[in-house]
Amino acid sequence: MDNTTAQCPNHHPKRDYSHCSNCRLSGICLPLALEVSDIERLDSIVQRGKPLQRGEVLYRAGDPFTAIYAIRSGAVKTSHSDREGQEQITGFHLPGEVIGLDGPANNRYRNTAIALQTTSVCAIPFPELETLSRQVPGLQRNLLQLLSREITTEQRQFGLLGHANADGRVAALLLSFSVRHERHKLSPSEFTLPMARGDIANFLGLTLETVSRVFTRLQKQNVIHAKGKDIDIRDLDALRQLAHNPEDL
Amino acid sequence: MDNTTAQCPNHHPKRDYSHCSNCRLSGICLPLALEVSDIERLDSIVQRGKPLQRGEVLYRAGDPFTAIYAIRSGAVKTSHSDREGQEQITGFHLPGEVIGLDGPANNRYRNTAIALQTTSVCAIPFPELETLSRQVPGLQRNLLQLLSREITTEQRQFGLLGHANADGRVAALLLSFSVRHERHKLSPSEFTLPMARGDIANFLGLTLETVSRVFTRLQKQNVIHAKGKDIDIRDLDALRQLAHNPEDL
DNA sequence: CGCCCAGTTGAAGAATTTCAAACGATGTGG
DNA sequence: CCACATCGTTTGAAATTCTTCAACTGGGCG
């Protein structure tokens, strides 16, 4: 029902963000550092559908792998489940981030991606992207970087679960959101988490109750102020110290 | 001091494995499913150095990223440390596996790779590989698959730390080695672990003592027989059940 | 022989989970 | 408009798992 311009963020309804070349996210997304003419070629294969509502599935584990997705607005969680049906959330993804990179491994998505809010994405069909990236070296580089960065991100999280206690894990998560918000020139200290406590707990390998207790504890120590999903970071250094934070997030 | 043929596995000293085209690992390594002529092109950029001794560093976190490495024989651990100097082992790598894929993210290795035994590797210079993979679509595909597979592997481990108890984590590790040995037509039930208990503990986010206790416990239950690093899996199903194992490893 | 290292074992302690109850916001039907 | 059910969250107390600290074992090597 919508035309392409309808996917623009609600608060800027008049501007046309429906092309990579004028997308506000081009600085952190796949087109990064490409020439204008190359961005246009990339743009020509990108597909923009209508926004997903909260809870809608973008792709499901086991689906044939067709495209990777750049998030334009909103938030997405990715998860996979073992055969006992036990769900493990593998990540929370914000605008400018690309998901579906688990697909090329065996031509099926390994994860399920679900919108946490109203979310709009750019679909980048993978076969086309592969072809194009053979012709555009910078794009090939960006694609490889994207995958490699995903690897290092996972490794960091892996290290977190390996060596941090409950406080450290929650602190690291909050810091991660903080710096990702800052990247968008949003406040790094005040933001709203897109997911519920249960999702945080699942992601961090803790129970819902423990996460809740950590939030109250951090609040009593005046490190953060949290009302539900609304977070206000009061003492960034304390948070960093708790998270034992390795370089960037 | 060695010529190139000297990197052949010790137990087959007469055969020439110094080219991808006759490497026994080509079925699981980067050349997988490439045409003969393409394998030869790949081969022409691959560098084979002299073997590393136990404890030697292949690359160090922070080093400029120059090449990815395919392991020919031996075993390697990769790890990274946060700024407190806390080390987190991110993986144990066996022949046929490729490491260094964390490098493209920002042109530096994020991890340190250390030989756990005498180990020989093939170095594949990355700029050359990038160029070549633009010309050989199958190679481009394999490279992307390699990275993507690394992502899914990390995610599995991530899920493990998130949702498995000490027994489950150790069981999963043993199973992982079991199937990886099987891939090489080695016994999936009897093998020698290349790393010490402390490394296992670090990798699994446990203490050395807990790992040791799990080994004794599994032994008392007749699930495994373990004498130091020598493992004999007695009850594969029990192990699988403990690990709650999601699909392949 | 004696030292050292890796691994094992024990007992006490701490952190997290589990079970249970209660809360506050939100929505629904009478 | 109020009673009631629901959902996400918070809080408490007991149970459990894992860690910590410490002692001990056994094999390898000078």
Side-chain angles (χ1 to χ4, degrees), chain A residues 21-42:
Chain A
S21 37
N22 47 22
C23 177
R24 285 171 307 151
L25 297 170
S26 63
I28 53 177
C29 188
L30 199 54
L32 176 62
L34 293 187
E35 314 243 333
V36 174
S37 65
D38 291 334
I39 293 187
E40 279 166 7
R41 297 178 71 184
L42 172 61

mmCIF file with all atom_site columns, all heavy atoms in Angstrom, chain A residues 21-42:
data_model
loop_
_atom_site.group_PDB
_atom_site.id
_atom_site.type_symbol
_atom_site.label_atom_id
_atom_site.label_alt_id
_atom_site.label_comp_id
_atom_site.label_asym_id
_atom_site.label_entity_id
_atom_site.label_seq_id
_atom_site.pdbx_PDB_ins_code
_atom_site.Cartn_x
_atom_site.Cartn_y
_atom_site.Cartn_z
_atom_site.occupancy
_atom_site.B_iso_or_equiv
_atom_site.pdbx_formal_charge
_atom_site.auth_seq_id
_atom_site.auth_comp_id
_atom_site.auth_asym_id
_atom_site.auth_atom_id
_atom_site.pdbx_PDB_model_num
ATOM 1   N N   . SER A 1 21 ? 22.024 6.819  -1.581  1.00 0.00 ? 21 SER A N   1
ATOM 2   C CA  . SER A 1 21 ? 22.820 8.029  -1.750  1.00 0.00 ? 21 SER A CA  1
ATOM 3   C C   . SER A 1 21 ? 22.388 9.156  -0.815  1.00 0.00 ? 21 SER A C   1
ATOM 4   O O   . SER A 1 21 ? 23.182 10.007 -0.462  1.00 0.00 ? 21 SER A O   1
ATOM 5   C CB  . SER A 1 21 ? 22.780 8.487  -3.211  1.00 0.00 ? 21 SER A CB  1
ATOM 6   O OG  . SER A 1 21 ? 21.509 8.260  -3.761  1.00 0.00 ? 21 SER A OG  1
ATOM 7   N N   . ASN A 1 22 ? 21.133 9.156  -0.417  1.00 0.00 ? 22 ASN A N   1
ATOM 8   C CA  . ASN A 1 22 ? 20.734 10.200 0.520   1.00 0.00 ? 22 ASN A CA  1
ATOM 9   C C   . ASN A 1 22 ? 20.248 9.635  1.855   1.00 0.00 ? 22 ASN A C   1
ATOM 10  O O   . ASN A 1 22 ? 19.566 10.298 2.609   1.00 0.00 ? 22 ASN A O   1
ATOM 11  C CB  . ASN A 1 22 ? 19.677 11.119 -0.106  1.00 0.00 ? 22 ASN A CB  1
ATOM 12  C CG  . ASN A 1 22 ? 18.582 10.322 -0.779  1.00 0.00 ? 22 ASN A CG  1
ATOM 13  O OD1 . ASN A 1 22 ? 18.381 9.153  -0.443  1.00 0.00 ? 22 ASN A OD1 1
ATOM 14  N ND2 . ASN A 1 22 ? 17.883 10.936 -1.711  1.00 0.00 ? 22 ASN A ND2 1
ATOM 15  N N   . CYS A 1 23 ? 20.606 8.401  2.116   1.00 0.00 ? 23 CYS A N   1
ATOM 16  C CA  . CYS A 1 23 ? 20.225 7.793  3.391   1.00 0.00 ? 23 CYS A CA  1
ATOM 17  C C   . CYS A 1 23 ? 21.152 8.330  4.472   1.00 0.00 ? 23 CYS A C   1
ATOM 18  O O   . CYS A 1 23 ? 22.363 8.419  4.290   1.00 0.00 ? 23 CYS A O   1
ATOM 19  C CB  . CYS A 1 23 ? 20.358 6.274  3.317   1.00 0.00 ? 23 CYS A CB  1
ATOM 20  S SG  . CYS A 1 23 ? 19.985 5.426  4.870   1.00 0.00 ? 23 CYS A SG  1
ATOM 21  N N   . ARG A 1 24 ? 20.557 8.684  5.591   1.00 0.00 ? 24 ARG A N   1
ATOM 22  C CA  . ARG A 1 24 ? 21.368 9.230  6.673   1.00 0.00 ? 24 ARG A CA  1
ATOM 23  C C   . ARG A 1 24 ? 22.311 8.186  7.261   1.00 0.00 ? 24 ARG A C   1
ATOM 24  O O   . ARG A 1 24 ? 23.208 8.485  8.021   1.00 0.00 ? 24 ARG A O   1
ATOM 25  C CB  . ARG A 1 24 ? 20.466 9.758  7.788   1.00 0.00 ? 24 ARG A CB  1
ATOM 26  C CG  . ARG A 1 24 ? 19.785 11.074 7.450   1.00 0.00 ? 24 ARG A CG  1
ATOM 27  C CD  . ARG A 1 24 ? 18.770 11.373 8.519   1.00 0.00 ? 24 ARG A CD  1
ATOM 28  N NE  . ARG A 1 24 ? 17.882 10.228 8.691   1.00 0.00 ? 24 ARG A NE  1
ATOM 29  C CZ  . ARG A 1 24 ? 17.286 9.909  9.824   1.00 0.00 ? 24 ARG A CZ  1
ATOM 30  N NH1 . ARG A 1 24 ? 17.478 10.644 10.896  1.00 0.00 ? 24 ARG A NH1 1
ATOM 31  N NH2 . ARG A 1 24 ? 16.486 8.875  9.896   1.00 0.00 ? 24 ARG A NH2 1
ATOM 32  N N   . LEU A 1 25 ? 22.077 6.927  6.938   1.00 0.00 ? 25 LEU A N   1
ATOM 33  C CA  . LEU A 1 25 ? 22.872 5.861  7.529   1.00 0.00 ? 25 LEU A CA  1
ATOM 34  C C   . LEU A 1 25 ? 24.044 5.439  6.658   1.00 0.00 ? 25 LEU A C   1
ATOM 35  O O   . LEU A 1 25 ? 24.809 4.549  7.015   1.00 0.00 ? 25 LEU A O   1
ATOM 36  C CB  . LEU A 1 25 ? 21.977 4.631  7.785   1.00 0.00 ? 25 LEU A CB  1
ATOM 37  C CG  . LEU A 1 25 ? 20.851 4.875  8.782   1.00 0.00 ? 25 LEU A CG  1
ATOM 38  C CD1 . LEU A 1 25 ? 19.895 3.691  8.786   1.00 0.00 ? 25 LEU A CD1 1
ATOM 39  C CD2 . LEU A 1 25 ? 21.416 5.105  10.166  1.00 0.00 ? 25 LEU A CD2 1
ATOM 40  N N   . SER A 1 26 ? 24.180 6.082  5.484   1.00 0.00 ? 26 SER A N   1
ATOM 41  C CA  . SER A 1 26 ? 25.190 5.606  4.549   1.00 0.00 ? 26 SER A CA  1
ATOM 42  C C   . SER A 1 26 ? 26.598 5.662  5.143   1.00 0.00 ? 26 SER A C   1
ATOM 43  O O   . SER A 1 26 ? 27.492 4.971  4.690   1.00 0.00 ? 26 SER A O   1
ATOM 44  C CB  . SER A 1 26 ? 25.132 6.405  3.244   1.00 0.00 ? 26 SER A CB  1
ATOM 45  O OG  . SER A 1 26 ? 25.425 7.754  3.498   1.00 0.00 ? 26 SER A OG  1
ATOM 46  N N   . GLY A 1 27 ? 26.762 6.462  6.178   1.00 0.00 ? 27 GLY A N   1
ATOM 47  C CA  . GLY A 1 27 ? 28.075 6.572  6.792   1.00 0.00 ? 27 GLY A CA  1
ATOM 48  C C   . GLY A 1 27 ? 28.476 5.374  7.632   1.00 0.00 ? 27 GLY A C   1
ATOM 49  O O   . GLY A 1 27 ? 29.652 5.201  7.953   1.00 0.00 ? 27 GLY A O   1
ATOM 50  N N   . ILE A 1 28 ? 27.509 4.543  8.009   1.00 0.00 ? 28 ILE A N   1
ATOM 51  C CA  . ILE A 1 28 ? 27.854 3.407  8.844   1.00 0.00 ? 28 ILE A CA  1
ATOM 52  C C   . ILE A 1 28 ? 27.358 2.096  8.248   1.00 0.00 ? 28 ILE A C   1
ATOM 53  O O   . ILE A 1 28 ? 27.543 1.041  8.814   1.00 0.00 ? 28 ILE A O   1
ATOM 54  C CB  . ILE A 1 28 ? 27.262 3.550  10.258  1.00 0.00 ? 28 ILE A CB  1
ATOM 55  C CG1 . ILE A 1 28 ? 25.765 3.823  10.169  1.00 0.00 ? 28 ILE A CG1 1
ATOM 56  C CG2 . ILE A 1 28 ? 27.950 4.655  11.005  1.00 0.00 ? 28 ILE A CG2 1
ATOM 57  C CD1 . ILE A 1 28 ? 25.105 3.900  11.525  1.00 0.00 ? 28 ILE A CD1 1
ATOM 58  N N   . CYS A 1 29 ? 26.739 2.187  7.104   1.00 0.00 ? 29 CYS A N   1
ATOM 59  C CA  . CYS A 1 29 ? 26.103 1.021  6.499   1.00 0.00 ? 29 CYS A CA  1
ATOM 60  C C   . CYS A 1 29 ? 27.001 0.481  5.387   1.00 0.00 ? 29 CYS A C   1
ATOM 61  O O   . CYS A 1 29 ? 28.179 0.813  5.300   1.00 0.00 ? 29 CYS A O   1
ATOM 62  C CB  . CYS A 1 29 ? 24.721 1.432  5.981   1.00 0.00 ? 29 CYS A CB  1
ATOM 63  S SG  . CYS A 1 29 ? 23.674 0.098  5.394   1.00 0.00 ? 29 CYS A SG  1
ATOM 64  N N   . LEU A 1 30 ? 26.455 -0.339 4.565   1.00 0.00 ? 30 LEU A N   1
ATOM 65  C CA  . LEU A 1 30 ? 27.236 -0.993 3.523   1.00 0.00 ? 30 LEU A CA  1
ATOM 66  C C   . LEU A 1 30 ? 27.882 -0.026 2.520   1.00 0.00 ? 30 LEU A C   1
ATOM 67  O O   . LEU A 1 30 ? 28.998 -0.282 2.055   1.00 0.00 ? 30 LEU A O   1
ATOM 68  C CB  . LEU A 1 30 ? 26.332 -2.000 2.793   1.00 0.00 ? 30 LEU A CB  1
ATOM 69  C CG  . LEU A 1 30 ? 27.019 -3.088 1.985   1.00 0.00 ? 30 LEU A CG  1
ATOM 70  C CD1 . LEU A 1 30 ? 28.024 -3.858 2.825   1.00 0.00 ? 30 LEU A CD1 1
ATOM 71  C CD2 . LEU A 1 30 ? 25.987 -4.039 1.403   1.00 0.00 ? 30 LEU A CD2 1
ATOM 72  N N   . PRO A 1 31 ? 27.239 1.068  2.153   1.00 0.00 ? 31 PRO A N   1
ATOM 73  C CA  . PRO A 1 31 ? 27.821 1.938  1.115   1.00 0.00 ? 31 PRO A CA  1
ATOM 74  C C   . PRO A 1 31 ? 29.052 2.705  1.577   1.00 0.00 ? 31 PRO A C   1
ATOM 75  O O   . PRO A 1 31 ? 29.683 3.392  0.770   1.00 0.00 ? 31 PRO A O   1
ATOM 76  C CB  . PRO A 1 31 ? 26.691 2.943  0.806   1.00 0.00 ? 31 PRO A CB  1
ATOM 77  C CG  . PRO A 1 31 ? 25.459 2.355  1.363   1.00 0.00 ? 31 PRO A CG  1
ATOM 78  C CD  . PRO A 1 31 ? 25.904 1.538  2.535   1.00 0.00 ? 31 PRO A CD  1
ATOM 79  N N   . LEU A 1 32 ? 29.394 2.581  2.822   1.00 0.00 ? 32 LEU A N   1
ATOM 80  C CA  . LEU A 1 32 ? 30.492 3.358  3.407   1.00 0.00 ? 32 LEU A CA  1
ATOM 81  C C   . LEU A 1 32 ? 31.691 3.496  2.483   1.00 0.00 ? 32 LEU A C   1
ATOM 82  O O   . LEU A 1 32 ? 32.271 2.519  2.039   1.00 0.00 ? 32 LEU A O   1
ATOM 83  C CB  . LEU A 1 32 ? 30.925 2.679  4.714   1.00 0.00 ? 32 LEU A CB  1
ATOM 84  C CG  . LEU A 1 32 ? 32.121 3.270  5.451   1.00 0.00 ? 32 LEU A CG  1
ATOM 85  C CD1 . LEU A 1 32 ? 31.834 4.698  5.879   1.00 0.00 ? 32 LEU A CD1 1
ATOM 86  C CD2 . LEU A 1 32 ? 32.469 2.414  6.642   1.00 0.00 ? 32 LEU A CD2 1
ATOM 87  N N   . ALA A 1 33 ? 32.047 4.737  2.202   1.00 0.00 ? 33 ALA A N   1
ATOM 88  C CA  . ALA A 1 33 ? 33.268 5.056  1.454   1.00 0.00 ? 33 ALA A CA  1
ATOM 89  C C   . ALA A 1 33 ? 33.244 4.623  -0.011  1.00 0.00 ? 33 ALA A C   1
ATOM 90  O O   . ALA A 1 33 ? 34.280 4.544  -0.656  1.00 0.00 ? 33 ALA A O   1
ATOM 91  C CB  . ALA A 1 33 ? 34.501 4.466  2.157   1.00 0.00 ? 33 ALA A CB  1
ATOM 92  N N   . LEU A 1 34 ? 32.065 4.330  -0.522  1.00 0.00 ? 34 LEU A N   1
ATOM 93  C CA  . LEU A 1 34 ? 31.986 4.006  -1.952  1.00 0.00 ? 34 LEU A CA  1
ATOM 94  C C   . LEU A 1 34 ? 31.860 5.285  -2.773  1.00 0.00 ? 34 LEU A C   1
ATOM 95  O O   . LEU A 1 34 ? 31.395 6.312  -2.283  1.00 0.00 ? 34 LEU A O   1
ATOM 96  C CB  . LEU A 1 34 ? 30.777 3.110  -2.234  1.00 0.00 ? 34 LEU A CB  1
ATOM 97  C CG  . LEU A 1 34 ? 30.789 1.702  -1.660  1.00 0.00 ? 34 LEU A CG  1
ATOM 98  C CD1 . LEU A 1 34 ? 29.601 0.911  -2.197  1.00 0.00 ? 34 LEU A CD1 1
ATOM 99  C CD2 . LEU A 1 34 ? 32.092 0.987  -1.971  1.00 0.00 ? 34 LEU A CD2 1
ATOM 100 N N   . GLU A 1 35 ? 32.236 5.184  -4.038  1.00 0.00 ? 35 GLU A N   1
ATOM 101 C CA  . GLU A 1 35 ? 32.049 6.309  -4.947  1.00 0.00 ? 35 GLU A CA  1
ATOM 102 C C   . GLU A 1 35 ? 30.556 6.480  -5.237  1.00 0.00 ? 35 GLU A C   1
ATOM 103 O O   . GLU A 1 35 ? 29.785 5.529  -5.169  1.00 0.00 ? 35 GLU A O   1
ATOM 104 C CB  . GLU A 1 35 ? 32.739 6.018  -6.290  1.00 0.00 ? 35 GLU A CB  1
ATOM 105 C CG  . GLU A 1 35 ? 34.128 5.467  -6.159  1.00 0.00 ? 35 GLU A CG  1
ATOM 106 C CD  . GLU A 1 35 ? 35.148 6.408  -6.770  1.00 0.00 ? 35 GLU A CD  1
ATOM 107 O OE1 . GLU A 1 35 ? 34.762 7.144  -7.680  1.00 0.00 ? 35 GLU A OE1 1
ATOM 108 O OE2 . GLU A 1 35 ? 36.301 6.391  -6.309  1.00 0.00 ? 35 GLU A OE2 1
ATOM 109 N N   . VAL A 1 36 ? 30.185 7.682  -5.612  1.00 0.00 ? 36 VAL A N   1
ATOM 110 C CA  . VAL A 1 36 ? 28.781 7.953  -5.872  1.00 0.00 ? 36 VAL A CA  1
ATOM 111 C C   . VAL A 1 36 ? 28.202 7.002  -6.917  1.00 0.00 ? 36 VAL A C   1
ATOM 112 O O   . VAL A 1 36 ? 27.130 6.432  -6.750  1.00 0.00 ? 36 VAL A O   1
ATOM 113 C CB  . VAL A 1 36 ? 28.586 9.412  -6.340  1.00 0.00 ? 36 VAL A CB  1
ATOM 114 C CG1 . VAL A 1 36 ? 27.132 9.646  -6.746  1.00 0.00 ? 36 VAL A CG1 1
ATOM 115 C CG2 . VAL A 1 36 ? 28.986 10.378 -5.222  1.00 0.00 ? 36 VAL A CG2 1
ATOM 116 N N   . SER A 1 37 ? 28.957 6.804  -7.988  1.00 0.00 ? 37 SER A N   1
ATOM 117 C CA  . SER A 1 37 ? 28.438 5.949  -9.058  1.00 0.00 ? 37 SER A CA  1
ATOM 118 C C   . SER A 1 37 ? 28.252 4.520  -8.568  1.00 0.00 ? 37 SER A C   1
ATOM 119 O O   . SER A 1 37 ? 27.330 3.818  -8.979  1.00 0.00 ? 37 SER A O   1
ATOM 120 C CB  . SER A 1 37 ? 29.398 5.974  -10.254 1.00 0.00 ? 37 SER A CB  1
ATOM 121 O OG  . SER A 1 37 ? 30.637 5.399  -9.888  1.00 0.00 ? 37 SER A OG  1
ATOM 122 N N   . ASP A 1 38 ? 29.132 4.076  -7.676  1.00 0.00 ? 38 ASP A N   1
ATOM 123 C CA  . ASP A 1 38 ? 29.017 2.724  -7.144  1.00 0.00 ? 38 ASP A CA  1
ATOM 124 C C   . ASP A 1 38 ? 27.849 2.604  -6.180  1.00 0.00 ? 38 ASP A C   1
ATOM 125 O O   . ASP A 1 38 ? 27.152 1.588  -6.133  1.00 0.00 ? 38 ASP A O   1
ATOM 126 C CB  . ASP A 1 38 ? 30.314 2.319  -6.450  1.00 0.00 ? 38 ASP A CB  1
ATOM 127 C CG  . ASP A 1 38 ? 31.457 2.144  -7.446  1.00 0.00 ? 38 ASP A CG  1
ATOM 128 O OD1 . ASP A 1 38 ? 31.154 1.840  -8.629  1.00 0.00 ? 38 ASP A OD1 1
ATOM 129 O OD2 . ASP A 1 38 ? 32.615 2.332  -7.049  1.00 0.00 ? 38 ASP A OD2 1
ATOM 130 N N   . ILE A 1 39 ? 27.640 3.661  -5.411  1.00 0.00 ? 39 ILE A N   1
ATOM 131 C CA  . ILE A 1 39 ? 26.490 3.654  -4.504  1.00 0.00 ? 39 ILE A CA  1
ATOM 132 C C   . ILE A 1 39 ? 25.211 3.518  -5.311  1.00 0.00 ? 39 ILE A C   1
ATOM 133 O O   . ILE A 1 39 ? 24.294 2.787  -4.929  1.00 0.00 ? 39 ILE A O   1
ATOM 134 C CB  . ILE A 1 39 ? 26.450 4.944  -3.650  1.00 0.00 ? 39 ILE A CB  1
ATOM 135 C CG1 . ILE A 1 39 ? 27.642 4.957  -2.678  1.00 0.00 ? 39 ILE A CG1 1
ATOM 136 C CG2 . ILE A 1 39 ? 25.150 5.030  -2.869  1.00 0.00 ? 39 ILE A CG2 1
ATOM 137 C CD1 . ILE A 1 39 ? 27.616 6.082  -1.675  1.00 0.00 ? 39 ILE A CD1 1
ATOM 138 N N   . GLU A 1 40 ? 25.191 4.180  -6.446  1.00 0.00 ? 40 GLU A N   1
ATOM 139 C CA  . GLU A 1 40 ? 23.983 4.097  -7.274  1.00 0.00 ? 40 GLU A CA  1
ATOM 140 C C   . GLU A 1 40 ? 23.756 2.681  -7.797  1.00 0.00 ? 40 GLU A C   1
ATOM 141 O O   . GLU A 1 40 ? 22.629 2.208  -7.888  1.00 0.00 ? 40 GLU A O   1
ATOM 142 C CB  . GLU A 1 40 ? 24.071 5.095  -8.431  1.00 0.00 ? 40 GLU A CB  1
ATOM 143 C CG  . GLU A 1 40 ? 23.677 6.502  -7.966  1.00 0.00 ? 40 GLU A CG  1
ATOM 144 C CD  . GLU A 1 40 ? 24.059 7.573  -8.977  1.00 0.00 ? 40 GLU A CD  1
ATOM 145 O OE1 . GLU A 1 40 ? 24.512 7.232  -10.087 1.00 0.00 ? 40 GLU A OE1 1
ATOM 146 O OE2 . GLU A 1 40 ? 23.915 8.757  -8.627  1.00 0.00 ? 40 GLU A OE2 1
ATOM 147 N N   . ARG A 1 41 ? 24.842 2.019  -8.107  1.00 0.00 ? 41 ARG A N   1
ATOM 148 C CA  . ARG A 1 41 ? 24.697 0.632  -8.570  1.00 0.00 ? 41 ARG A CA  1
ATOM 149 C C   . ARG A 1 41 ? 24.200 -0.265 -7.435  1.00 0.00 ? 41 ARG A C   1
ATOM 150 O O   . ARG A 1 41 ? 23.366 -1.139 -7.638  1.00 0.00 ? 41 ARG A O   1
ATOM 151 C CB  . ARG A 1 41 ? 26.045 0.103  -9.086  1.00 0.00 ? 41 ARG A CB  1
ATOM 152 C CG  . ARG A 1 41 ? 26.552 0.863  -10.297 1.00 0.00 ? 41 ARG A CG  1
ATOM 153 C CD  . ARG A 1 41 ? 27.889 0.364  -10.745 1.00 0.00 ? 41 ARG A CD  1
ATOM 154 N NE  . ARG A 1 41 ? 27.811 -0.959 -11.361 1.00 0.00 ? 41 ARG A NE  1
ATOM 155 C CZ  . ARG A 1 41 ? 28.862 -1.652 -11.779 1.00 0.00 ? 41 ARG A CZ  1
ATOM 156 N NH1 . ARG A 1 41 ? 30.079 -1.150 -11.625 1.00 0.00 ? 41 ARG A NH1 1
ATOM 157 N NH2 . ARG A 1 41 ? 28.725 -2.830 -12.333 1.00 0.00 ? 41 ARG A NH2 1
ATOM 158 N N   . LEU A 1 42 ? 24.754 -0.038 -6.249  1.00 0.00 ? 42 LEU A N   1
ATOM 159 C CA  . LEU A 1 42 ? 24.270 -0.777 -5.086  1.00 0.00 ? 42 LEU A CA  1
ATOM 160 C C   . LEU A 1 42 ? 22.794 -0.487 -4.871  1.00 0.00 ? 42 LEU A C   1
ATOM 161 O O   . LEU A 1 42 ? 21.967 -1.389 -4.673  1.00 0.00 ? 42 LEU A O   1
ATOM 162 C CB  . LEU A 1 42 ? 25.076 -0.391 -3.843  1.00 0.00 ? 42 LEU A CB  1
ATOM 163 C CG  . LEU A 1 42 ? 24.589 -0.936 -2.492  1.00 0.00 ? 42 LEU A CG  1
ATOM 164 C CD1 . LEU A 1 42 ? 24.609 -2.459 -2.482  1.00 0.00 ? 42 LEU A CD1 1
ATOM 165 C CD2 . LEU A 1 42 ? 25.433 -0.388 -1.354  1.00 0.00 ? 42 LEU A CD2 1
#
